[in-house]
Amino acid sequence: MIIESIEIEMDITAALGALDLEIEAKLQNWGEPLRWAITTVDRETNIAQIEAIVIRE
């Protein structure tokens, strides 16, 4: 088991349902998310920067 800190970017206007579920689904590509936070949002492009801690096998 590896605990890793990652940063991703995501277009928040592309979220079809609840934003939190969309973020967690995207984080699953890197492992099981323990915690995450939206740290910045570019108001012009609606791109959010997300910092997360994930567990990988």
Side-chain angles (χ1 to χ4, degrees), residues 11-56:
D11 182 355
I12 58 174
T13 58
L16 300 175
L19 182 58
D20 59 334
L21 297 177
E22 296 284 334
I23 291 170
E24 288 184 12
K26 186 161 184 152
L27 290 172
Q28 289 289 328
N29 293 328
W30 287 271
E32 183 66 31
L34 289 177
R35 67 172 185 82
W36 56 267
I38 298 173
T39 55
T40 60
V41 176
D42 184 327
R43 292 182 184 204
E44 293 178 9
T45 62
N46 289 324
I47 300 292
Q49 186 158 30
I50 302 158
E51 295 179 3
I53 303 294
V54 297
I55 297 177
R56 293 189 299 126

